[in-house]
Amino acid sequence: MFPIGVSLIGTAVTFDPMSDANLLNRKWQLISVVVILGALLVGGCATRRPQTAPVMLRVMTYNIHHGAGLDGKVDLTRIAELIKQERADIVALQEVDKGVRRTARRDLTAELASLTGMTGIFSNNFHFQGGEYGNAVLTRFPVKRWSNHHYQMLRTNEQRGILQLVLEVQGREVVFLNTHIDSRPDDVERWLNVGEIETLTSKHAAKPVILCGDFNTQPQGRVHERLAHTFQDAWTRVGEGDGFSFPANGANRRIDYIWFTRPEVLIPRKIWLPQSEASDHLPLVAEFELR
């Protein structure tokens, strides 16, 4: 019988099928090939970078009017139920009391955090009725650090500020800002506040930033126009209709906003205004894809 030639990964092997020694050699050579191929496959998988799946997150901004609804009753349960109903991951709250006489010295942030199962961060902007009054954030994501910045005020009757958080969203840092700026007819103080917001945001140029709050300005004003140089207006990008959020019973003004930066990383998918009588404002909710 003639010898048979077999090529194993570029190596020619000749054997006599009637020879036990050749059969044994062929067996070991085949095993070696399998082992080598397996090692190459494992090595290729190990060096391939895993694909990072997009993260979907929902953001809400809500001026809660110290928890008082259109009926005048302070009822945090209906606010908490609304947050859970909308499946919000991060909530910016304005007009929040802590230890204030009108709300029976309650800590509204702590109560809402307990009712929703979220982490609550409160920032005091000024002392009021024996307690504190300011902004708060509820979040399902870990808080890496936070701070509160008091604006330079032209008038001294109400100090205002901006609450700043750095959140860890599935391994990525997202900066979350919450503010409530001046409500007087002239926009001089709002204009000044926007300059400070721009300075704060410039420190986080490499990270996506979400800015929420009650800005007491409408889209046709110069304050909105200035903000639009630094941020994207989520309602302008994906909203439908007028976006009116105030007053809750017959809204005719768009003064509550969700702004964002880095649109190549943070992509708004939809935004809406849930109907509620839990405050004198309507809440505003946006869903983002974080790439």
Side-chain angles (χ1 to χ4, degrees):
M1 187 172 290
F2 296 101
I4 300 173
V6 179
S7 177
L8 296 175
I9 313 300
T11 301
V13 179
T14 304
F15 65 92
D16 182 347
M18 298 304 293
S19 166
D20 289 342
N22 282 340
L23 286 172
L24 185 61
N25 285 337
R26 182 189 180 208
K27 176 182 177 182
W28 282 111
Q29 287 169 341
L30 287 171
I31 291 172
S32 298
V33 170
V34 171
V35 170
I36 292 168
L37 287 174
L40 290 171
L41 288 171
V42 171
C45 292
T47 57
R48 187 181 300 128
R49 296 184 65 182
Q51 295 294 318
T52 303
V55 176
M56 303 303 295
L57 64 152
R58 286 191 177 186
V59 173
M60 175 187 285
T61 185
Y62 199 9
N63 183 326
I64 63 169
H65 191 47
H66 64 270
L70 295 181
D71 55 8
K73 296 179 181 178
V74 175
D75 186 348
L76 297 186
T77 301
R78 57 188 171 188
I79 293 175
E81 288 302 316
L82 182 62
I83 291 169
K84 291 190 288 186
Q85 171 190 306
E86 298 302 325
R87 294 184 287 118
D89 299 301
I90 319 170
V91 185
L93 303 172
Q94 303 87 42
E95 295 193 13
V96 183
D97 284 2
K98 181 179 181 181
V100 174
R101 185 171 62 252
R102 69 181 173 188
T103 45
R105 311 291 183 189
R106 295 160 68 180
D107 184 340
L108 304 191
T109 305
E111 289 188 39
L112 286 169
S114 177
L115 289 167
T116 58
M118 303 171 82
T119 298
I121 302 292
F122 170 79
S123 62
N124 178 45
N125 287 328
F126 77 101
H127 295 282
F128 178 67
Q129 291 187 0
E132 300 172 301
Y133 179 73
N135 303 313
V137 169
L138 303 175
T139 176
R140 301 191 190 283
F141 300 112
V143 179
K144 298 190 73 172
R145 55 190 177 275
W146 70 273
S147 61
N148 187 47
H149 171 79
H150 283 168
Y151 293 125
Q152 178 183 345
M153 306 299 294
L154 298 178
R155 308 164 178 108
T156 57
N157 64 323
E158 181 181 339
Q159 176 65 55
R160 294 179 183 266
I162 181 167
L163 179 56
Q164 309 157 76
L165 288 77
V166 177
L167 304 174
E168 184 177 333
V169 181
Q170 296 194 16
R172 284 162 277 189
E173 287 190 351
V174 174
V175 179
F176 191 77
L177 309 178
N178 176 23
T179 194
H180 183 192
I181 59 179
D182 186 61
S183 61
R184 278 167 281 231
D186 69 83
D187 66 3
V188 176
E189 201 153 273
R190 291 191 289 277
W191 185 262
L192 186 65
N193 296 159
V194 171
E196 293 182 73
I197 292 170
E198 290 168 345
T199 299
L200 291 170
T201 303
S202 68
K203 299 175 183 178
H204 304 288
K207 300 181 180 69
V209 177
I210 301 173
L211 168 65
C212 296
D214 177 354
F215 288 81
N216 281 308
T217 193
Q218 298 200 64
Q220 61 269 28
R222 66 169 185 162
V223 171
H224 182 281
E225 183 180 356
R226 181 174 178 177
L227 280 164
H229 286 299
T230 302
F231 299 92
Q232 303 265 332
D233 179 348
W235 190 274
T236 300
R237 285 286 303 272
V238 295
E240 296 181 3
D242 49 41
F244 293 158
S245 60
F246 181 81
N249 54 342
N252 57 17
R253 278 173 275 175
R254 183 156 89 92
I255 60 175
D256 298 281
Y257 295 87
I258 297 175
W259 301 88
F260 65 100
T261 66
R262 300 287 308 278
E264 76 283 3
V265 174
L266 197 60
I267 304 165
R269 292 305 184 193
K270 57 183 178 178
I271 188 169
W272 64 98
L273 287 155
Q275 298 302 301
S276 173
E277 297 184 354
S279 171
D280 62 344
H281 285 243
L282 294 176
L284 178 64
V285 186
E287 184 170 88
F288 289 94
E289 177 184 330
L290 175 63
R291 291 188 175 179

